[in-house]
Amino acid sequence: MFRRIGNTVVRHPVWTIVAWLIAAVAIVATAPSLPSNSDESSFLPKSYESIKAADLQQKAFPSAFTPSAIALYQRTDGGKLTAADQKDVARITTELGKKHIDQVQKVVPGQPSKDGRYTMTLVQMDSKNAGQPKQADAAKVLRDDAKELTKGTQLDVKLGGSAAQALDQQDSSKRGQALIGIGTFAIILVTLLIIFRAPILAVLPLILIGLVSAIANGLIAYATKLFDLQANSSISSILIVVLFGVGTDYFLFLIFRYRERLRAGDEPKEAMINAVARVGEAIASAAGAVIIAFLALSLSTLGFLKQMGPALAIAVSVTLIAGLTLIPAVVSLIGPKVFWPSKSWRQEPDNARFAALGRGVERRPVLTAVASGLVLLVLSLGTLGFNATFDLASGSMPKTKESMVVQDEMQKAYSAGAAAPTDVYLSSADGKPLDKTAFDAYAQKLGAVDGVANARMSQVNQAGTTADFTVTLKYEASTDKAIDAVGRVRDVAHSDAPDGTEAVVGGMSSIYKDIDTAVNHDYRTVFPVAAVLIMVILGLLLRSVVAPWYLIASVGLGFGATLGATVWIFQEGQGHSGLMFMLPVIMYLFVVAIGTDYNILMIARLREEAREGREPREAAGMALRHAGPTVAAAGFILAATFATMMLAGNALLTEMGFAVSFGIAVAAFVMAMFFTPSLTALIGHAAWWPGHGDRAEEGTAGAASGPVGPGRESDEDRDETAHDPSARRR
């Protein structure tokens, strides 16, 4: 099949390129814009208690005041607020309310801090649009107007709250995307120039993947709108890296094999057809593993991950099709001039370092397997210290952003949980009015919970059937202590609810508690499903039952080593309280799925060498010699492109960038180059049971009786050019 694909696109390159250009214009011109949502509660299903509480609040208290933005005032000299300052704050609050800013429903004064140094203006916005870009726009207007109104006073004002966080997150995301895009382009360009010393080859993947990126983004926008999926600004940054990183991988897989076939004496067009025929199955299987793993995210209970899975799967699918059609068409049209002005492509260098590494694996497979396995095992021990954090807002932007400064200052000036109080909604089970005489005792029980600063009954709905008890925690909403405390509040709220009533607990800490539960569900569901499906792909590719088990086990060990190293660096080294809650899920899928690419490429080449009559150890050595440069180049570029995410300047993308780049480096330079080939050499022919896919085909056993010299391949390789019709069908 892959030979037929290669033959079609190489014989008709112009039509292939035109088809891609038409598709790009049509999709980009008609695709809707990709929405973005920064409201954490929108990522959870309706079945979770915090979402039930939010729905109940909308029904029972539709006009309840829930601030979306908080203007925090203090004197410019840091002293206590004077009576004149208080009058200025009252005036500013009134004037902000008179401006009738879009989305703003109420502007009211807040409480001063106990030390008298701070006071607030609270702004309520339309709850139906929480987390949407229009509220970020409203926050920008509020921030500018508040600063303008404080001119001529002794006051300094900063805007915080969820709407201001959405604005700062939006700005941070744009800056991060720009840095990631520039860094990704620079890394790919420079690395390809160093590898090939050919400017055309350095620029070509950037142009082609840029075209693929436009098509993929359009299709993702269509899918997001069609299936009503949730989007988040971080997805755009991840997409840049996935498209250019994975796209460059497939470009390199093909170009290295194309160069190899040219060195073996193939005519240029036939060299590309043979390259697609030989490496096409490995590329398709590698992409299939990535796509399957990303689609497994659809089983997640978090809307953010449910949207990310299909989006990334679409991106990789388009990249795969381009790798098998667009790239071969363009390169075959240019021909060997693609390597200009370098002439080193014509012959493999003598004593190449990967040939030496291959001989080392061939001679000492036990030492290689044990040493590389121990490295992975030791790093994996760090996973025992993993701790999760849930503040997606502060994790997705620098601490220096204004809304983050407000959050930190409010925690010091007020009770740490005052900025995001917890609400307990007590409702009558039979629809009759509640017994108000039980309210005080219930509030006292809630206030006595460990970790609660105070609790009070704040309001009752008009029908008298639902009461809102405001519970202020001692801790900031996203901390582990707050999440543990809200769990205890839930227990008391449910168990001590008066007879004939039901209680649900809402608020940010309750949302984080449910996110924690949802992520734990994903660990138990997404991980095993992705692993099983990747094993199925490996089994189909290798026609083996044995190999997929140790291949997926080795990749799992690589995941453990990556998470362990990330814990040690960020938690132990930099003193972070924990890693972002979604990191292990994303890391698992990127490291396991994309890391499997390199295992697939190496094991497929090892099987190819074995089919030429080589014994397992020799086949492992030759596989490393020929596939090693491809894996090294692709692994370095992909790891480096993911590392550009660390330029974004926020905790989420910094942790993700390090973890995924480290994991890919481990997958390429430890697993694929040493652990997998040495283990396969030790297991021998049994690794291919029951398919015996490594057995030499008739007439090829003698073709590999000795090592293949530099710049040459086996007789079977040369025979499978244009001269052997039966070989073409293989």
Side-chain angles (χ1 to χ4, degrees):
M1 180 181 77
F2 295 102
R3 175 169 286 279
R4 286 198 295 273
I5 292 172
N7 189 67
T8 301
V9 299
V10 169
R11 302 302 180 196
H12 307 285
V14 175
W15 287 112
T16 303
I17 296 167
V18 168
W20 271 92
L21 291 173
I22 291 172
V25 171
I27 292 170
V28 172
T30 59
S33 60
L34 187 64
S36 181
N37 195 336
S38 59
D39 180 18
E40 286 93 337
S41 65
S42 67
F43 300 149
L44 286 167
K46 299 293 185 185
S47 58
Y48 281 86
E49 182 168 348
S50 59
I51 307 305
K52 289 180 180 178
D55 291 342
L56 178 59
Q57 184 258 324
Q58 287 291 321
K59 294 174 184 175
F61 308 102
S63 60
F65 191 91
T66 304
S68 299
I70 300 170
L72 184 67
Y73 305 90
Q74 68 178 126
R75 283 184 60 84
T76 53
D77 60 10
K80 289 188 177 182
L81 297 170
T82 65
D85 295 330
Q86 296 285 5
K87 287 183 180 179
D88 285 331
V89 170
R91 174 183 57 81
I92 293 167
T93 301
T94 302
E95 291 189 23
L96 283 174
K98 290 179 179 178
K99 287 182 177 291
H100 302 295
I101 299 168
D102 181 46
Q103 297 296 307
V104 173
Q105 295 177 328
K106 289 182 183 178
V107 181
V108 301
Q111 294 294 320
S113 63
K114 290 181 181 179
D115 62 9
R117 296 176 184 275
Y118 295 88
T119 192
M120 298 181 290
T121 293
L122 305 178
V123 181
Q124 181 179 355
M125 296 186 186
D126 187 351
S127 60
K128 294 178 182 177
N129 295 320
Q132 298 298 325
K134 59 178 66 177
Q135 292 207 348
D137 295 339
K140 188 176 190 310
V141 176
L142 273 168
R143 182 174 283 170
D144 293 341
D145 287 350
K147 291 184 187 301
E148 183 66 29
L149 290 169
T150 57
K151 288 182 177 179
T153 71
Q154 299 299 313
L155 296 171
D156 177 60
V157 63
K158 298 183 182 72
L159 193 74
S162 59
Q165 288 177 354
L167 172 64
D168 290 341
Q169 188 176 357
Q170 190 180 85
D171 292 342
S172 180
S173 176
K174 289 177 181 176
R175 175 182 174 275
Q177 284 180 40
L179 289 171
I180 289 168
I182 293 168
T184 299
F185 271 60
I187 286 167
I188 293 174
L189 188 67
V190 172
T191 306
L192 291 179
L193 276 172
I194 293 171
I195 292 172
F196 294 108
R197 295 186 290 280
I200 298 175
L201 271 181
V203 174
L204 192 59
L206 296 175
I207 297 172
L208 298 181
I209 299 166
L211 178 66
V212 171
S213 176
I215 294 174
N217 275 291
L219 293 176
I220 290 166
Y222 272 121
T224 301
K225 185 176 181 180
L226 181 63
F227 298 106
D228 193 27
L229 299 170
Q230 298 292 341
N232 185 275
S233 55
S234 296
I235 290 178
S236 298
S237 300
I238 297 169
L239 274 174
I240 293 171
V241 177
V242 169
L243 281 163
F244 281 90
V246 173
T248 305
D249 264 14
Y250 300 160
F251 179 84
L252 287 171
F253 288 0
L254 194 68
I255 292 299
F256 271 98
R257 185 53 75 100
Y258 175 59
R259 185 178 68 178
E260 190 176 316
R261 295 308 309 167
L262 289 173
R263 285 173 174 174
D266 287 4
E267 179 271 330
K269 287 191 178 296
E270 195 65 29
M272 180 55 74
I273 294 171
N274 283 333
V276 175
R278 289 295 190 92
V279 85
E281 186 180 22
I283 291 177
S285 300
V290 178
I291 292 166
I292 287 292
F294 287 157
L295 286 178
L297 279 176
S298 300
L299 301 173
S300 170
T301 49
L302 291 172
F304 170 69
L305 295 177
K306 285 175 91 71
Q307 197 271 349
M308 180 184 286
L312 297 178
I314 290 170
V316 176
S317 299
V318 177
T319 306
L320 166 63
I321 297 169
L324 296 177
T325 59
L326 179 62
I327 293 173
V330 173
V331 174
S332 66
L333 199 61
I334 300 172
K337 291 179 181 177
V338 76
F339 297 103
W340 178 88
S342 173
K343 298 180 180 179
S344 61
W345 64 270
R346 295 178 179 175
Q347 188 172 359
E348 182 183 358
D350 293 332
N351 301 316
R353 61 179 62 89
F354 288 98
L357 289 174
R359 289 193 294 271
V361 170
E362 180 181 342
R363 292 168 186 167
R364 290 179 289 276
V366 175
L367 178 63
T368 304
V370 171
S372 54
L374 277 175
V375 169
L376 298 175
L377 196 59
V378 169
L379 288 173
S380 297
L381 295 176
T383 59
L384 300 175
F386 172 73
N387 189 43
T389 58
F390 296 87
D391 189 357
L392 189 60
S394 63
S396 58
M397 67 183 109
K399 290 290 185 182
T400 54
K401 284 291 185 180
E402 187 170 321
S403 58
M404 292 295 96
V405 173
V406 170
Q407 180 174 290
D408 291 341
E409 290 183 351
M410 284 191 66
Q411 288 177 35
K412 297 171 185 174
Y414 297 83
S415 169
T422 295
D423 290 287
V424 178
Y425 298 102
L426 188 68
S427 298
S428 169
D430 56 9
K432 295 179 181 179
L434 294 166
D435 178 9
K436 296 182 180 180
T437 61
F439 287 176
D440 287 343
Y442 190 60
Q444 287 178 4
K445 289 176 181 177
L446 292 172
V449 174
D450 182 27
V452 172
N454 61 74
R456 60 184 175 83
M457 198 286 292
S458 55
Q459 58 184 331
V460 180
N461 70 336
Q462 287 184 348
T465 55
T466 300
D468 175 10
F469 292 80
T470 301
V471 178
T472 304
L473 302 179
K474 295 178 180 178
Y475 318 109
E476 195 275 320
S478 65
T479 61
D480 290 340
K481 289 182 178 180
I483 293 168
D484 291 340
V486 88
R488 293 189 291 270
V489 169
R490 282 184 178 182
D491 292 339
V492 172
H494 298 159
S495 62
D496 290 344
D499 293 339
T501 65
E502 297 174 347
V504 289
V505 181
M508 289 309 302
S509 293
S510 186
I511 289 171
Y512 292 136
K513 176 75 175 174
D514 287 339
I515 287 176
D516 188 26
T517 303
V519 170
N520 288 331
H521 164 272
D522 292 349
Y523 291 162
R524 297 189 298 271
T525 307
V526 176
F527 283 20
V529 169
V532 168
L533 293 176
I534 290 173
M535 284 182 65
V536 169
I537 288 177
L538 289 170
L540 293 173
L541 169 67
L542 303 173
R543 283 77 165 174
S544 167
V545 172
V546 176
W549 285 97
Y550 69 82
L551 288 176
I552 201 69
S554 71
V555 175
L557 196 58
F559 164 77
T562 303
L563 181 57
T566 308
V567 167
W568 275 335
I569 287 177
F570 288 97
Q571 287 186 208
E572 305 299 331
Q574 296 190 12
H576 290 195
S577 60
L579 305 177
M580 290 305 297
F581 67 90
M582 66 183 75
L583 188 63
V585 176
I586 294 172
M587 188 191 306
Y588 176 85
L589 292 167
F590 278 108
V591 174
V592 171
I594 297 179
T596 303
D597 281 11
Y598 306 126
N599 264 346
I600 286 175
L601 188 70
M602 186 62 73
I603 204 77
R605 186 59 189 248
L606 195 153
R607 180 187 62 179
E608 188 179 318
E609 297 293 341
R611 280 179 171 176
E612 294 176 6
R614 296 183 174 88
E615 287 302 308
R617 291 193 179 194
E618 185 187 1
M622 292 303 296
L624 182 53
R625 171 182 176 171
H626 288 296
T630 311
V631 170
F636 174 80
I637 289 176
L638 191 58
T641 52
F642 270 104
T644 61
M645 294 172 72
M646 298 173 70
L647 300 173
N650 66 66
L652 173 61
L653 292 180
T654 298
E655 291 172 3
M656 192 185 301
F658 170 81
V660 177
S661 61
F662 184 86
I664 287 169
V666 166
F669 295 99
V670 180
M671 287 190 300
M673 282 199 191
F674 298 107
F675 192 67
T676 297
S678 60
L679 209 57
T680 306
L682 288 172
I683 296 172
H685 295 296
W688 308 96
W689 184 88
H692 304 298
D694 66 326
R695 299 299 187 188
E697 298 180 16
E698 186 177 351
T700 64
S705 55
V708 181
R712 297 177 60 81
E713 287 197 305
S714 67
D715 292 339
E716 189 272 349
D717 262 344
R718 290 193 302 275
D719 289 342
E720 193 184 340
T721 57
H723 310 299
D724 185 354
S726 65
R728 291 186 188 183
R729 291 192 294 269
R730 282 201 296 273

